[in-house]
Amino acid sequence: MSFSPITGAADTTLHTSAEGLKHGLVDMPTFDGTIKAYFAAPADRAHCPVILVIQEIFGLHEHIQDVCRRFAHEGYFAVAVELYQRQGDANAYTEIPNLVKEIVAKVPDEQVLADLDASARWAESQGADAKRLGVTGFCWGGRLAWLYAAHNPVCKAGVAWYGRLTTGHGPLQVRNPIDVAASLHAPVLGLYGAQDASIPVEDIRKMEAVLAHGGTASKASRFVIYSDAGHAFYSDYRPSFRKSEAEDGWAKALEWFRRYL
């Protein structure tokens, strides 16, 4: 299976303008030096709430940067980190199994959570309101969005797009969303496709059962399951994109963040 997130762009790929925004790539300080990050925020507003945008398995490519700009146009300070930087360059891979084996499986969750904490601190240093903190992620990042909602007590809301619930991508990922579902600090909206072969609906039902017996944030969490959608239905640059489900999911994500941030 070959795929390049840049050269394989589909005709449906969206390109969000940066007009009215401040944005760009930066070297962001974290626990062991600096890593690359991209941010976007309204140019004429300060103290915006923060959205941490967690990448798919393909790294910090143009689609994830575009998602940051989409959030910025909605009034958020959005930041996405190159979470694989220590392990390698995801853009150098055209075979997904090799990418997973050689990079993704070697990224510890603890490293990711620390980098996300660092990005929230960095956003605050840039004038954003990191006490109104949300997180969202796609695929690999969807799994991490659940974990981050259980990790950081300051986090107020999460939106997880088709992230795995009961498994990870390698031996360094030892806890999964179902293991922390009862102890979330922030309510999470899960946006999933019923036709996703990698995440059976049965896993969603198991997750719902654990959430129902958890704390306040866990009980407030919700799933939306799109009956005709598969994996990566929001990824407009891929053949898996489904316009109606993507637009509905985006509207629901914005409403979720408006409610809690």
Side-chain angles (χ1 to χ4, degrees), residues 64-86:
I64 296 300
Q65 296 178 32
D66 199 271
V67 171
C68 288
R69 293 193 292 275
R70 296 172 201 180
F71 276 117
H73 281 298
E74 298 292 336
Y76 296 99
F77 189 111
V79 57
V81 184
E82 180 51 88
L83 294 164
Y84 300 162
Q85 182 169 309
R86 300 170 187 83

Side-chain angles (χ1 to χ4, degrees), residues 150-163:
H151 163 76
N152 187 348
V154 177
C155 187
K156 298 292 190 295
V159 177
W161 301 76
Y162 36 82

